[in-house]
Amino acid sequence: MRRILDKLYEIIPAYSLFPLVFSFTFNMFVYVGSRMIAGEWHHYNIESSLDRLIPFWPPAAVIYLGCYLFWAVNYILIARQDREAVCRFFSADFLSRIVCLLFFLLIPTTNTRPTVAADGFWNQVMTLVYSIDAADNLFPSIHCLVSWFCYIGIRGKKEFPAWYRGCSLVMAVLICISTVLTKQHVLVDVAGGVLLAEICFWAGKKPRVYGVYEKVLDRIHVGGNK
């Protein structure tokens, strides 16, 4: 068991294990929990006339669904930074989900999904997506929020090659675009997700904010400075 942990610590520092696991767990709690609570409540459609001009393009699903690999890789890369940087990032990540939870409960939103033709591979993919992901929990878009975090978490960090930072920006933008092309979100959802990521990332840099997160890590003994 010790050998396995040592191998794991070579990839993810001990002090980053809890932040990574908690980030995933809390994200699921916010998304699924809010749906369980507010699923039957009245939902507001904030779709604009501009949204109705954007075409439905099922092949965008490859980007929309491919984001999960992007998230996993970049969150692990971010978790490999020094302990203070990790606390700053994941405290911002936590704050963003708190805000999302408030919006999902106080102002539940929805949109109008298109009728999907039965033929074609990508149409079938979108039909599956629609069947397992209800049209709720839209504002702000967690898809866009997390994707933007994946970029700003390494933005300006010289330890990451410039080409990779650039690719992360492109990928984050493409994911945002895919959310409206698949009609999973509307434009204001995208703007809300990106803006929330920037605001929380700024707040997470404050010692008064990330210091609390750091104290939590100290109390649960997740590896100290290892």
Side-chain angles (χ1 to χ4, degrees), residues 38-45 104 107-111 135-138:
E40 300 301 321
W41 296 358
H42 174 72
H43 285 58
Y44 301 91
N45 191 329
F104 293 165
I107 313 175
T109 54
T110 187
N111 69 342
D136 57 14
N137 290 350
L138 301 188

Side-chain angles (χ1 to χ4, degrees), residues 25-200:
T25 304
F26 191 61
N27 183 77
M28 293 299 296
F29 167 78
V30 168
Y31 199 77
V32 177
S34 61
R35 176 172 290 167
M36 293 174 64
I37 296 171
E40 300 301 321
W41 296 358
H42 174 72
H43 285 58
Y44 301 91
N45 191 329
I46 54 177
E47 185 179 14
S48 69
S49 56
L50 185 56
D51 286 297
R52 289 187 282 273
L53 294 177
I54 298 174
F56 173 56
W57 193 54
V62 69
I63 299 174
Y64 182 83
L65 297 175
C67 70
Y68 296 103
L69 177 60
F70 174 58
W71 294 353
V73 170
N74 275 41
Y75 265 58
I76 289 174
L77 289 176
I78 291 167
R80 288 171 58 86
Q81 298 180 84
D82 64 82
R83 194 171 189 270
E84 183 176 307
V86 167
C87 289
R88 287 180 175 183
F89 178 84
F90 284 98
S91 63
D93 187 78
F94 174 71
L95 283 176
S96 72
R97 298 314 191 283
I98 291 292
V99 175
C100 285
L101 180 60
L102 291 175
F103 272 106
F104 293 165
L105 295 178
L106 298 177
I107 313 175
T109 54
T110 187
N111 69 342
T112 303
R113 287 176 167 176
T115 301
V116 184
D119 61 318
F121 174 75
W122 291 115
N123 284 343
Q124 293 178 16
V125 171
M126 285 310 306
T127 298
L128 176 62
V129 171
Y130 286 172
S131 70
I132 62 178
D133 190 18
D136 57 14
N137 290 350
L138 301 188
F139 180 85
S141 166
I142 286 185
H143 245 73
C144 298
L145 170 75
V146 178
S147 298
W148 203 250
F149 264 135
C150 284
Y151 163 59
I152 61 179
I154 65 173
R155 182 175 59 192
K157 299 295 180 66
K158 301 300 183 182
E159 58 264 40
F160 302 104
W163 68 266
Y164 189 80
R165 283 179 272 144
C167 287
S168 291
L169 171 59
V170 171
M171 188 62 185
V173 171
L174 288 176
I175 291 170
C176 290
I177 293 173
S178 76
T179 64
V180 293
L181 289 177
T182 56
K183 298 300 179 178
Q184 283 288 86
H185 286 281
V186 295
L187 291 171
V188 70
D189 300 334
V190 175
V194 171
L195 182 60
L196 179 59
E198 288 286 358
I199 291 173
C200 290

